[in-house]
């Protein structure tokens, strides 16, 4: 075993590589589970897709600075390409905005429902492809291992405001905390942190947030000209990078989530948060670690570029959960067709359809269950 210090020293060797992080309990679980993936693939060959051909999605700090800059440039490029959806959403000014539109249009369908995990898997795959095919990106979608930065997110490689970060915190403006609708009240509140205003550092300091708000967690955002939130409402990116929220995303929460929930119903419910009991879940925890506008907006959150790293981690956690028992969990879907089953609807099945609105046609849930061979082989990736 390498000591943590030696590990870090080796990782920074050469100067190009970022400071290393020792593997956490979830990383170790993932690594130790790869033998199950190998066994499963041996019994269930997936054509061209195998562990040698699979794409590897990596953690932000495991990219070197050049790779981080390449990813950032690709996102900035997507933000500079003209929208394909401006006819249906006048506020969409770029290809990046198109993804925000699709999320807004389908928020009520794809959260707290059977579609949550498969749909976001499709959504990430499509975004990753856009970065590669439309913006010349040669890497893959990185993820944000929450645990690495949870103690001090503001000074982390993700939010430190450097040119290899996803931009920094917002400037401080006095603002209220975020309420979680516990039942019965009093409401649980994530205390406000040191930001709340415009992001003025790092690569995304000049970006324009164009869509929403719809469910803002800040109270002073100018309203969208359209009730559906899809009108043009240009404003700065705001954040309230918040360690109070990050505290529920440490590795012990994620490990507990993966190992103590044996079926999709409880796995997903625990991950998304059990608000009535005041349990935020790692999903909400990560969103509100960023906070502000649009990251703190349930509908418009993909408009903060760091959303995509957060949801890649969500997808990774699902994958790690799946590989504990592939035979069962590649077919385990649960929950109903509507958010928190309101209004009441039937249970979801593997035959239900997912789509990205006018961006991409129907994909059955069953085709989104496996990262190794899903969508007829179009999905072929693992997380490292
Ligand atoms: C933001 O815009 C200012 C003013 O145009 C410019 O000087 C600066 O380089 C830009 N920063 C980034 C990271 O794009
Ligand atoms: C994770 O660790 C923190 C800090 O030690 C503790 O407060 C929390 O209850 C733990 N959570 C779980 C789910 O074990
Ligand atoms: C729907 O799923 C729930 C929980 O997963 C289960 O208890 C219920 O029997 C299912 N309903 C039908 C009609 O299959
Ligand atoms: Cu979402």
């Amino acid at each position: 075993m390498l000591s943590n210090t030696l590990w870090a020293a080796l990782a920074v060797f050469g100067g190009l590589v970022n400071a290393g992080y020792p593997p956490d309990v979830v990383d170790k679980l993932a690594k130790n589970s790869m033998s199950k993936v190998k066994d499963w693939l041996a019994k269930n060959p997936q054509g061209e897709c195998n562990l040698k051909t699979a794409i590897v999605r990596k953690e932000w700090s495991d990219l070197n600075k050049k790779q981080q800059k390449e990813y950032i440039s690709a996102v900035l490029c997507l933000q500079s390409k003209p929208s394909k959806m401006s006819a249906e959403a006048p506020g969409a000014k770029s290809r990046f905005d198109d993804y925000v539109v699709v999320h807004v249009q389908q928020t009520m369908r794809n959260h707290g429902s059977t579609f949550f995990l498969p749909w976001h898997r499709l959504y990430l795959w499509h975004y990753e492809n856009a970065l590669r095919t439309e913006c010349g990106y040669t890497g893959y979608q990185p993820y944000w291992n929450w645990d690495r930065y949870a103690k001090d997110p503001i000074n982390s490689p993700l939010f430190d405001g450097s040119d290899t970060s996803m931009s920094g915190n917002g400037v401080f403006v006095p603002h209220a905390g975020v309420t979680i609708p516990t039942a019965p009240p009093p409401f649980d509140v994530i205390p406000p942190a040191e930001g709340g205003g415009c992001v003025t550092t790092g690569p995304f300091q000049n970006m324009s947030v164009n869509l929403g708000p719809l469910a803002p967690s800040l109270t002073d955002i100018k309203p969208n000209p359209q009730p559906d939130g899809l009108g043009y409402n240009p404003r700065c990116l705001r954040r309230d990078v918040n360690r109070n929220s990050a505290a529920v995303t440490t590795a012990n929460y994620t490990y507990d989530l993966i190992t103590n929930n044996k079926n999709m119903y409880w796995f997903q419910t625990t991950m998304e948060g059990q608000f009535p009991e005041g349990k935020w879940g790692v999903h909400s925890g990560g969103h509100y670690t960023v906070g502000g506008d649009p990251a703190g907006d349930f509908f418009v959150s993909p408009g903060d570029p760091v959303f995509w790293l957060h949801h890649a981690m969500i997808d990774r956690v699902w994958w790690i959960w799946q590989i504990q028992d592939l035979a069962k969990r590649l077919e385990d879907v649960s929950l109903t067709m509507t958010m928190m089953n309101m209004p009441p609807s039937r249970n979801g099945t593997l035959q239900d359809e997912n789509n990205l609105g006018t961006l991409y046609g129907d994909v059955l849930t069953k085709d989104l269950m496996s990262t190794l061979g899903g969508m007829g082989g179009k999905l072929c990736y693992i997380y490292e």
Side-chain angles (χ1 to χ4, degrees):
M1 272 306 277
L2 288 176
S3 76
N4 290 354
T5 323
L6 187 55
W7 186 276
L10 279 177
V12 293
F13 184 73
L16 255 188
V17 180
N18 283 300
Y21 289 80
D24 62 44
V25 283
V26 176
D27 298 332
K28 287 179 191 161
L29 176 64
K31 193 156 191 254
N32 293 336
S33 308
M34 286 311 289
S35 58
K36 299 186 189 185
V37 179
K38 281 189 192 120
D39 291 349
W40 181 82
L41 276 171
K43 293 190 192 109
N44 303 275
Q46 297 295 309
E48 304 279 289
C49 180
N50 56 55
L51 288 178
K52 288 200 181 69
T53 59
I55 282 162
V56 180
R57 291 187 181 163
K58 296 187 175 168
E59 211 282 332
W60 183 247
S61 295
D62 294 339
L63 302 183
N64 65 38
K65 290 187 187 301
K66 186 163 166 274
Q67 293 166 327
Q68 289 171 330
K69 284 185 181 169
E70 202 208 340
Y71 178 75
I72 289 164
S73 300
V75 176
L76 288 167
C77 158
L78 212 58
Q79 292 181 340
S80 74
K81 298 256 175 193
S83 165
K84 293 179 184 170
M85 297 180 90
S86 47
E88 63 190 284
K93 297 297 172 194
S94 71
R95 287 284 295 119
F96 179 86
D97 287 347
D98 290 349
Y99 290 91
V100 184
V101 172
V102 171
H103 194 270
V104 167
Q105 288 170 333
Q106 299 196 16
T107 299
M108 301 299 282
R109 184 179 197 263
N110 296 328
H111 299 83
S113 74
T114 190
F115 300 112
F116 177 64
L117 290 165
W119 184 83
H120 283 86
R121 179 168 281 173
L122 172 66
Y123 188 50
L124 274 164
W125 168 79
H126 201 272
Y127 180 81
E128 178 184 62
N129 263 316
L131 294 175
R132 290 174 56 82
T133 59
E134 298 176 44
C135 286
Y137 179 49
T138 61
Y140 300 99
Q141 178 60 45
Y143 67 91
W144 159 16
N145 180 353
W146 312 301
D147 183 82
R148 290 185 167 189
Y149 319 124
K151 281 207 179 64
D152 190 10
I154 291 174
N155 294 305
S156 75
L158 209 49
F159 295 117
D160 67 9
S162 66
D163 61 357
T164 55
S165 72
M166 292 300 291
S167 268
N169 194 14
V171 296
F172 177 70
V173 293
H175 62 286
V178 178
T179 40
I180 298 264
T182 48
F187 295 146
D188 201 2
V189 175
I190 301 171
E194 296 93 332
C198 295
V199 168
T200 58
T201 55
F204 299 101
Q205 61 186 255
N206 293 337
M207 83 169 261
S208 175
V209 175
N210 296 327
L211 296 148
L214 272 166
S217 59
L218 295 168
T219 53
D220 58 345
I221 306 167
K222 63 182 162 139
N224 195 277
Q226 292 184 193
D228 64 4
L230 299 179
Y232 185 43
N233 190 23
R235 59 197 190 278
C236 69
L237 174 68
R238 294 169 68 178
R239 285 179 180 160
D240 186 32
V241 178
N242 193 318
R243 78 173 68 79
N244 299 307
S245 189
V248 302
T249 65
T250 48
N252 64 324
Y253 281 91
T254 308
Y255 185 83
D256 187 70
L257 166 69
I258 295 170
T259 56
N260 285 336
N261 294 288
K262 303 295 179 199
N263 62 47
M264 178 55 107
Y265 180 84
W266 284 111
F267 174 70
Q268 183 182 328
T269 301
T270 307
M271 177 188 253
E272 284 201 82
Q274 291 155 276
F275 301 133
E277 284 112 272
K279 294 180 183 165
W280 309 346
V282 292
H283 173 246
S284 306
H287 278 295
Y288 291 118
T289 297
V290 194
D293 172 43
D297 187 310
F298 187 45
F299 292 79
V300 196
S301 53
D304 185 314
V306 87
F307 168 96
W308 299 91
L309 286 89
H310 172 50
H311 261 276
M313 179 66 176
I314 291 286
D315 189 61
R316 173 182 184 243
V317 172
W318 180 26
W319 174 75
I320 300 171
W321 182 81
Q322 286 185 306
I323 65 178
Q324 302 312 305
D325 187 354
L326 282 159
K328 209 166 125 202
R329 296 182 182 175
L330 287 179
E331 298 190 343
D332 195 357
V333 292
S334 187
L335 286 86
T336 70
M337 306 291 284
T338 43
M339 188 192 305
M340 299 170 101
N341 199 30
M342 289 184 292
S345 58
R346 68 168 170 82
N347 286 349
T349 71
L350 289 168
Q351 302 302 325
D352 290 315
E353 281 167 349
N354 301 264
N355 68 73
L356 302 177
T358 52
L359 287 186
Y360 200 77
D362 287 335
V363 181
L364 300 183
T365 294
K366 77 174 168 61
D367 289 321
L368 296 165
M369 297 302 286
S370 176
T371 72
L372 291 166
M375 295 180 74
K378 290 196 184 84
L379 299 185
C380 186
Y381 65 88
I382 61 167
Y383 289 93
E384 208 169 76

